[in-house]
Amino acid sequence: MKKKELYKQLGIKYSFYTVFFKRFLDIFISLVALIILSPFMILFSLLTLIFNGWPIVYTQARPGKNHKVFNIYKFRSMNNKKDKDGNLLPDNQRITFWGKIIRKLSIDELPQLWNILKGDMSIIGHRPKLVKDVIFYAEDVFNQYVTRPGLTGYCQAFGRNKNTWEETFEKDKFYFANMSLWLDIKIFFMTFISVFKNKGESHSNAEEDKVQEKEQEYYYADYLLRIEKITKEQYDKGLELSKEIIKNKAVMTYQPELVEKQEEVVETKEEKPEETKTTKKKATTKKVTKTKKKKAE
């Protein structure tokens, strides 16, 4: 299938900008940004080394264009502290003061300029999610994520971390259908407003935990398990499969058996009340028939 036909089928805008000019801008802007920001990135690297230790930058596998897995780069926001048994402490105990700052201001994302220059990512696009989350996407959701993920995107400009998973899918869908130079410029500047607006909202650690709990759950797989759209068996199977994909740097494919099972779980729950109602109606009909027979006798 030709790219134009594929984009039309998936509801993704096909234009000179989206297919050609967008990539040219990505190369130009990322190269200029790396040159201009290099002194600051050296400073951020030193501060990360001091507060968080080595390595300064960590990599993580994420699905990219056409679901091909690549390594995303980030400044580390946590240290390597371990418990008495040699296991890493929970994330909330390892994140440092410097780590909170670079996360809050999205400074930890700056190394992704190299991902953009390489062609793994774009300046603007959907944010790349974890393999273990994408593997549970429904077919219509999974198929639309064939473009390059972005350093920032529509969800980050409008809602940031407050979007639910459903809202994220809808906003990404809107972006795919309306990609344009003007929309990308708007998202670029709205991202800065969103970051500094978020910076101005001060919360205590306890309040931050409550806010985060109400906002989007970070892992989609955990979210599906909690609302009982998948079973523990499905959850474990998905995690094992995602490990294999990461290990082999494979191209991700839609997993119909996982999604079909999700649908079966939902359908089973919805069918039970209907079956109960039908059974009650049958029982009532039988009682009425018996009563009539007795009267006739």
Side-chain angles (χ1 to χ4, degrees), residues 27 33 69 98 155 234 239:
I27 295 169
V69 175
W98 172 244
C155 288
Q234 292 170 273
L239 295 191

Side-chain angles (χ1 to χ4, degrees), residues 153-196:
Y154 194 85
C155 288
Q156 285 61 50
F158 302 96
R160 202 164 168 80
N161 297 326
K162 295 179 181 178
N163 294 306
T164 63
W165 278 101
E166 288 76 14
E167 288 169 341
T168 297
F169 296 149
E170 283 302 312
K171 287 181 178 181
D172 283 343
K173 185 178 180 180
F174 172 83
Y175 175 74
F176 296 141
N178 296 278
M179 281 191 289
S180 66
L181 177 60
W182 167 243
L183 182 57
D184 281 1
I185 291 171
K186 184 179 179 181
I187 289 170
F188 182 80
F189 287 106
M190 284 302 297
T191 298
F192 285 100
I193 294 172
S194 178
V195 167
F196 286 104

Side-chain angles (χ1 to χ4, degrees), residues 112-124:
Q112 288 161 41
L113 288 168
W114 179 244
N115 283 122
I116 295 167
L117 188 61
K118 283 173 60 185
D120 298 327
M121 295 175 64
S122 180
I123 299 290
I124 310 294

Side-chain angles (χ1 to χ4, degrees), residues 12-70:
I12 301 171
K13 188 173 181 179
Y14 184 94
S15 66
F16 176 78
Y17 173 72
T18 59
V19 180
F20 302 105
F21 193 60
K22 186 175 172 70
R23 178 60 192 145
F24 169 77
L25 281 181
D26 286 338
I27 295 169
F28 177 75
I29 294 173
S30 60
L31 184 59
V32 171
L34 281 168
I35 294 169
I36 293 173
L37 296 175
S38 57
F40 298 100
M41 291 184 75
I42 291 170
L43 175 62
F44 297 150
S45 297
L46 289 172
L47 289 170
T48 301
L49 180 63
I50 292 168
F51 290 106
N52 301 339
W54 186 265
I56 297 168
V57 174
Y58 81 95
T59 61
Q60 193 173 51
R62 301 286 176 100
K65 185 179 179 181
N66 297 321
H67 308 295
K68 181 176 173 58
V69 175
F70 72 99

